[in-house]
Amino acid sequence: MIDVKQLKYFVTIAEEGQITKAAQKLHIAQPPLSQQLKQLEEELGVPLFDRKAKKMELTAPGKAFYEKAKQLLRQLDDAVAEVKEIEEGTAGTLSIGCVKSCFYYLAQAIRRFHEQFPNVTFHLREGDTFSICQLLQERHIDIGIIRLPIDSADCDVIRLPGERYVGVLPAQWKTGQTALCMRDFADWPLLLLHRVHGAGQYERVIEECRRHGFEPNVLCECPDATILLSLVAQGLGATIVPQSTVALFRLPGIKVLEIIDSSMTAEAAAILDRQRYLPKSARTFLDVLQTAAARAAGGQH
C-alpha cells in the first residue's frame, strides 16, 4: 500500500534530480530513501526514473505519477490547513501579492485588519498583474490584488471599486492650470505604466489619447509607479495614473491635477485560486479589503 511518506519522497527526488540531494532536503539517510523508491516502483510495477542518465530523469509513467502525486499532496495540505483552522481561528501568516498602483488599498486594509486580528502576520510580494497571477498559480500567495483586465480562467475575480485617473506634472512646470483636459497631454512627453506582459493601463491611456484626437509622445514605459513618479518629479515628463497611486506615493516635486474630460476608470480586483482552499484569515481580509477600497473610492468624490 502506497503511503503519504512515499509520495513525498518520490516528489522530492523528482524535483531534486538526485537521491543524494533529495536525502539532504528530507534530512534522512540515502539508503532508506533509495529503498523507499524501490518499494514504490515495485508497488506500481513500473520504473519511475531513468537511471542511465547522469541526472535521475522521470520516465513517461513517472511524469504522469509525479503530477498526480503533487496534486494529492496539495489536497492533503489543504485538508490539514482547513482542519487546523477550525481550532486556531484567524492566526498564522497571510501571503498577499499586490501591484504597486494598488498599494493604497492594501495598506489601508492591512492597518484595519491588524487592529482586529493582531496574531496574523503578513508576507507581501510585489509585481505587475502577470507576475501576481503566476505567484497565485504557483501557490506562493493566498490573495492577489491586481489591475484589470486579467487573462486567467483559473482565478476567481472579486472586483474592487473603480477610481479616476489623474494627471501628474512636475511642480517646476508653471502651467497655471488647476485642472487638465486630455488634449493638454498632446504637448507633453508622457511617462506611462506598462505591464511586463499583456495589456492593461498603458493601452487604456493610449486609447483615451487617440479618442481625443492625438497620438501621445510616450517618452518612457515602466511597470513601477514609484519610478514613474520619481521621473516626473525630476521634470522629465507628465504621467497619468490612478488617483490612489499618488495618494500613497506623494513625492515632493510633483503636482496632481484632475482630468475633467476623461472617461477612463482604473479598475482593481482581488484574485483567488478557485482550486485552492482559502484560509479563514484570507476570507476575513477580503471583507476588510473591500470595505477599505470602497471608502477610498468614496473619498475621491
Side-chain angles (χ1 to χ4, degrees):
M1 179 69 68
I2 298 173
D3 59 28
V4 173
K5 181 171 67 175
Q6 286 177 313
L7 291 181
K8 289 182 177 179
Y9 287 175
F10 163 68
V11 167
T12 304
I13 295 170
E15 291 175 346
E16 295 298 319
Q18 292 180 359
I19 292 283
T20 303
K21 288 185 177 180
Q24 291 172 350
K25 187 171 184 178
L26 292 165
H27 304 292
I28 62 174
Q30 185 174 335
L33 183 58
S34 299
Q35 184 61 32
Q36 287 287 337
L37 176 59
K38 181 180 178 182
Q39 291 177 5
L40 179 61
E41 289 180 318
E42 290 175 352
E43 180 77 18
L44 293 171
V46 294
L48 297 173
F49 291 95
D50 180 2
R51 290 167 172 78
K52 295 179 182 178
K54 292 182 180 179
K55 182 179 179 181
M56 292 188 69
E57 296 181 356
L58 289 167
T59 61
K63 289 178 182 177
F65 189 67
Y66 171 71
E67 294 300 326
K68 293 296 184 182
K70 279 204 308 181
Q71 183 179 349
L72 287 169
L73 291 173
R74 284 176 177 174
Q75 290 174 347
L76 178 61
D77 287 342
D78 286 348
V80 170
E82 185 172 358
V83 170
K84 283 184 176 180
E85 187 188 6
I86 293 173
E87 181 176 350
E88 295 174 1
T90 51
T93 300
L94 185 55
S95 298
I96 302 173
C98 185
V99 301
K100 193 166 284 188
S101 68
C102 290
F103 270 7
Y104 183 80
Y105 296 148
L106 180 62
Q108 296 287 317
I110 288 178
R111 181 177 64 81
R112 291 192 172 95
F113 186 87
H114 179 67
E115 290 172 356
Q116 299 177 56
F117 307 103
N119 292 328
V120 175
T121 58
F122 291 88
H123 179 202
L124 304 181
R125 303 284 292 272
E126 183 267 332
D128 69 350
T129 292
F130 178 82
S131 61
I132 296 300
C133 289
Q134 281 193 316
L135 288 172
L136 188 68
Q137 291 168 1
E138 294 168 1
R139 299 190 167 216
H140 295 305
I141 58 175
D142 301 307
I143 300 171
I145 304 172
I146 53 92
R147 287 289 179 189
L148 296 173
I150 178 178
D151 183 21
S152 178
D154 300 323
C155 297
D156 283 329
V157 178
I158 301 172
R159 288 177 176 268
L160 301 175
E163 59 177 307
R164 298 192 303 258
Y165 281 89
V166 293
V168 186
L169 278 58
Q172 61 192 266
W173 288 6
K174 306 302 180 182
T175 62
Q177 293 160 290
T178 57
L180 299 172
C181 296
M182 281 301 300
R183 285 289 308 180
D184 293 327
F185 293 97
D187 301 322
W188 299 326
L190 275 181
L191 320 173
L192 297 181
L193 287 169
H194 199 313
R195 295 181 183 181
V196 176
H197 298 278
Q201 296 187 74
Y202 177 87
E203 288 74 16
R204 187 165 293 173
V205 172
I206 296 295
E207 182 181 338
E208 184 72 359
C209 292
R210 290 170 179 167
R211 194 175 73 83
H212 284 267
F214 69 96
E215 192 68 26
N217 171 24
V218 180
L219 177 62
C220 177
E221 307 169 15
C222 177
D224 191 310
T226 54
I227 292 176
L228 284 187
L229 294 175
S230 297
L231 293 175
V232 172
Q234 293 299 314
L236 195 61
T239 190
I240 300 173
V241 294
Q243 185 167 358
S244 65
T245 303
V246 286
L248 188 61
F249 304 114
R250 191 65 178 260
L251 303 178
I254 65 173
K255 54 184 175 181
V256 182
L257 301 176
E258 179 186 2
I259 306 172
I260 59 176
D261 63 346
S262 172
S263 62
M264 291 188 297
T265 301
E267 298 175 300
I271 56 173
L272 313 169
D273 183 347
R274 64 166 55 104
Q275 303 296 328
R276 184 179 179 186
Y277 167 74
L278 195 64
K280 183 179 178 182
S281 57
R283 298 196 302 272
T284 306
F285 182 82
L286 282 173
D287 293 336
V288 176
L289 174 65
Q290 289 176 286
T291 301
R295 287 178 178 173
Q300 296 179 14
H301 303 292

